[in-house]
Amino acid sequence: MPSSQHIDLTLIKGYLEALDLAVIQQMLDLYIQQSALYLLAINSAVVDDDQKSWQEQCHKMKGAAASAGLSQVHQKLIVLEKSTEDSETKNQHLQALRLLNQQAIAEFQQWLAEQ
């Protein structure tokens, strides 16, 4: 199997040893739902120019991404969580985060389909 660009295969394979594939699929489905909510909340923080909310929402999504094994999303959020840039720059970061999140989810779904 080729190495993963977006997901932590060591973590996910560890889950697979302990959990049924259907449970891992449910975990990913839950992450997809939650990340959509986090992204909306992060967007609201940008619109409202609310630094505290920005940090809180990035922090929450960072934890969820780590638990789901989405390593690049997690790494991006480590940086974004501490960002104090202006709203326009944060909006650009948010767009990049959305794309990265979509790519990671797609890669995880592809991995699941191959199991």
Side-chain angles (χ1 to χ4, degrees), residues 78-89:
I78 288 172
V79 174
L80 294 186
E81 178 182 11
K82 302 301 180 195
S83 171
T84 57
E85 296 167 310
D86 62 48
S87 292
E88 184 177 327
T89 304

Side-chain angles (χ1 to χ4, degrees), residues 54 76 80 83 85 89-97:
W54 167 269
K76 177 92 171 155
L80 294 186
S83 171
E85 296 167 310
T89 304
K90 284 181 178 174
N91 191 48
Q92 292 170 357
H93 287 309
L94 176 57
Q95 299 313 314
L97 177 62

Side-chain angles (χ1 to χ4, degrees), residues 38-98:
Y38 293 141
L39 289 166
L40 284 173
I42 292 168
N43 186 67
S44 292
V46 171
V47 170
D48 298 340
D49 198 19
D50 184 341
Q51 180 65 24
K52 185 173 187 270
S53 179
W54 167 269
Q55 289 178 326
E56 288 172 356
Q57 298 306 320
C58 287
H59 181 78
K60 288 177 186 178
M61 188 171 175
K62 178 182 75 173
S67 295
L70 304 184
S71 53
Q72 284 196 0
V73 173
H74 177 249
Q75 290 300 315
K76 177 92 171 155
L77 284 158
I78 288 172
V79 174
L80 294 186
E81 178 182 11
K82 302 301 180 195
S83 171
T84 57
E85 296 167 310
D86 62 48
S87 292
E88 184 177 327
T89 304
K90 284 181 178 174
N91 191 48
Q92 292 170 357
H93 287 309
L94 176 57
Q95 299 313 314
L97 177 62
R98 283 187 174 125

